[in-house]
Amino acid sequence: MRKVGVVLVFVILLGVISVARAATITNEVWSNAIVDPGVELVPGVPAELNITIVSSNGEPFTAATFPNADSITVSGKFVDEYGNAIDVTGDGNPDIFSFTEATDTPGLWRVTINVTNVTPGLYTFRIQAIAQNSTTGEVFDNVTVDRQVWIAGGSYWVAKADVKDGDTVEIGSLSFTIRGLSDLGAILDLGNLSTQTITDTDRDGIFSWQYDVTGDKTNDWLVFSKSSDDDDRFVLLVYSNDASLLDNVNLQEDVVRAKGDRITFRNKLLKDRSNYKAYVVWDESWLAKLGLKAVDYYIIPQQGRDHWKEGWGTVERMDVRVIKRTTYLFGLIAKEEEVFSGNIWAKNVNIDNLIRVFGRWVGNAAYLGRGTWEILKGYADITIPSSYSLRERSINELAYSSEDFRWFNPILKPDKASLDWKSILGIEDEEEE
């Protein structure tokens, strides 16, 4: 009896192993969609997904591989927490997207996905492939995979970090004060005794409201997303298909006195399309004025779209470099060092316990041909001691300035510099004829 039992167990295990074998998806290629750093779909923009499926025996997932199968289907759907298909086209019915096989490449399947009128946020997209005999119900091979996809609210969006209860926001024709901001939602005070209540119905830290912000008679999306850094703070996203959104953010360059002897300069522009602004934090102490010792700082935005990117409903890169330049005895001795390099979005970057830089506002546009968002506009708050002044310069102005470098310009006199300032500022050498 023991041998029979062992044989039975072996047979059962063999059956489990054969059932456990499944097809695999070896390649996924999205087009007309954002793919860096993750997949994002823009409503109203048909995206195409191409996948390659290999059967469990290593052959293409196609009819010729399964001669006894009379049904081979590949489908995709956005699912809720229970695995049920949801509506992402606005017609009130669950949507299932059917893949078709390429006629010239067995095992290559493609589908077009066009989402419309769907609340922005992170969704689960489920791909299922099955080869079976519909009469007997026998399944010859199958695969099911889930992918996380962010659905945006439009081709353009702006984001504000560090949104908190009591803040007043002005965007285009809309102005509101936030009341009662919490995990449960928020109340927006629109003025004239008018309010709008937004509720986080699914308790995922994201809640939204539709309103025509740009005045183009089409509703835009306002989305509050909980910050991972602070339980009481949120990021406000405003999506639109109207490019004027990026210029409709009403930002004032306020100067406020912070705690003690600190001064904060709010909403200082770092990037506007291909134009970049640098900031010089200039030592105004008596030692500096006497030429004995000065410690100046240079806040320099890094150039190029790789340093200004969005990803999955948040800002992935808003990169700056901060250079500390110390000079002694009328410039006889100079020391230069990079004291910070990296992302400042929604971060209170502390430089030598003297300066704080906080990435606050950005404006983005989708570049579907490249598969990325690019931040076209970026603003930061800069806090400095009252013993310093703040100077704003374009990159080219700073590069050839005789006033913003103490004693000598390290770009014009690179032999006296300890850093490669041309590289830091992104200045290219002129080609010799």
Side-chain angles (χ1 to χ4, degrees):
M1 292 296 294
R2 182 173 299 178
K3 288 184 179 180
V4 173
V6 171
V7 171
L8 286 174
V9 170
F10 179 75
V11 170
I12 293 173
L13 285 176
L14 201 61
V16 171
I17 292 172
S18 63
V19 171
R21 293 181 64 197
T24 56
I25 296 176
T26 61
N27 194 31
E28 298 177 36
V29 179
W30 289 86
S31 58
N32 222 26
I34 304 298
V35 295
D36 182 18
V39 177
E40 293 188 51
L41 303 183
V42 177
V45 178
E48 184 176 278
L49 171 59
N50 287 265
I51 61 175
T52 300
I53 309 178
V54 178
S55 69
S56 57
N57 62 3
E59 299 295 326
F61 195 86
T62 189
T65 303
F66 310 104
N68 296 322
D70 62 359
S71 173
I72 298 177
T73 59
V74 181
S75 62
K77 58 185 178 180
F78 291 92
V79 298
D80 60 18
E81 59 184 314
Y82 304 107
N84 301 316
I86 62 174
D87 172 26
V88 292
T89 57
D91 62 0
N93 299 312
D95 292 299
I96 296 181
F97 301 90
S98 297
F99 287 71
T100 57
E101 188 176 13
T103 57
D104 57 347
T105 308
L108 175 62
W109 297 79
R110 58 172 58 101
V111 68
T112 298
I113 300 172
N114 189 7
V115 298
T116 57
N117 195 30
V118 58
T119 304
L122 189 61
Y123 291 80
T124 298
F125 183 65
R126 179 165 294 170
I127 303 171
Q128 294 177 304
I130 184 169
Q132 63 180 337
N133 186 298
S134 59
T135 302
T136 64
E138 182 180 1
V139 175
F140 301 103
D141 213 344
N142 69 91
V143 59
T144 298
V145 296
D146 287 348
R147 297 290 184 258
Q148 297 301 299
V149 175
W150 182 274
I151 298 181
S155 298
Y156 304 91
W157 64 278
V158 296
K160 181 186 180 184
D162 198 41
V163 173
K164 58 187 181 302
D165 199 41
D167 282 357
T168 297
V169 179
E170 294 183 28
I171 303 176
S173 60
L174 179 64
S175 175
F176 59 86
T177 300
I178 302 171
R179 309 293 187 192
L181 181 62
S182 72
D183 293 354
L184 303 178
I187 299 174
L188 307 185
D189 184 349
L190 306 176
N192 297 322
L193 302 179
S194 177
T195 61
Q196 174 66 43
T197 300
I198 309 175
T199 304
D200 185 4
T201 55
D202 53 7
R203 300 294 189 271
D204 62 351
I206 300 176
F207 43 93
S208 56
W209 176 48
Q210 283 188 289
Y211 184 87
D212 180 11
V213 172
T214 63
D216 64 351
K217 298 182 180 180
T218 301
N219 276 340
D220 307 303
W221 282 100
L222 285 81
V223 181
F224 289 85
S225 177
K226 192 167 186 180
S227 173
S228 58
D229 298 325
D230 193 323
D231 291 340
D232 299 326
R233 307 298 171 98
F234 286 73
V235 173
L236 171 63
L237 313 176
V238 182
Y239 286 99
S240 178
N241 282 318
D242 187 348
S244 70
L245 173 71
L246 302 184
D247 298 313
N248 274 335
V249 180
N250 303 321
L251 297 178
Q252 296 181 347
E253 293 189 357
D254 298 333
V255 180
V256 298
R257 186 168 294 278
K259 295 180 180 179
D261 63 347
R262 305 280 176 153
I263 300 174
T264 296
F265 297 81
R266 287 180 176 167
N267 301 322
K268 301 302 291 184
L269 179 65
L270 292 173
K271 182 182 190 290
D272 185 357
R273 277 77 178 185
S274 59
N275 300 312
Y276 296 83
K277 295 286 188 180
Y279 292 88
V280 182
V281 183
W282 192 256
D283 191 345
E284 300 283 5
S285 66
W286 279 109
L287 284 176
K289 292 178 179 179
L290 292 173
L292 300 178
K293 179 185 177 182
V295 183
D296 305 313
Y297 294 85
Y298 298 80
I299 302 171
I300 302 167
Q302 296 192 53
Q303 299 185 56
R305 66 178 67 99
D306 288 342
H307 296 289
W308 298 85
K309 296 197 302 184
E310 178 272 354
W312 272 16
T314 187
V315 176
E316 185 192 11
R317 305 303 314 170
M318 187 181 183
D319 291 338
V320 304
R321 302 172 79 170
V322 180
I323 307 301
K324 176 181 180 180
R325 189 168 186 263
T326 307
T327 52
Y328 303 88
L329 302 174
F330 308 99
L332 183 63
I333 302 173
K335 179 183 178 182
E336 301 164 345
E337 58 180 317
E338 182 178 81
V339 290
F340 176 80
S341 177
N343 182 20
I344 64 169
W345 169 251
K347 296 179 180 179
N348 224 339
V349 178
N350 184 351
I351 309 297
D352 288 351
N353 290 322
L354 285 176
I355 301 167
R356 291 187 181 273
V357 183
F358 184 87
R360 183 171 296 279
W361 277 96
V362 296
N364 309 267
Y367 288 87
L368 296 170
R370 298 196 300 259
T372 63
W373 292 93
E374 181 181 351
I375 296 173
L376 297 184
K377 286 192 168 185
Y379 299 83
D381 294 350
I382 301 173
T383 300
I384 64 174
S386 58
S387 57
Y388 280 78
S389 61
L390 188 68
R391 302 178 178 185
E392 178 182 307
R393 298 289 185 265
S394 71
I395 294 296
N396 284 335
E397 286 175 339
L398 180 61
Y400 302 104
S401 171
S402 60
E403 300 176 354
D404 299 312
F405 292 99
R406 216 174 290 264
W407 307 117
F408 66 91
N409 184 321
I411 296 175
L412 302 179
K413 295 184 177 180
D415 56 313
K416 299 182 67 174
S418 54
L419 295 177
D420 183 354
W421 281 85
K422 282 190 175 181
S423 174
I424 293 170
L425 294 175
I427 303 297
E428 295 181 359
D429 290 323
E430 296 182 1
E431 293 183 3
E432 296 182 2
E433 297 183 357

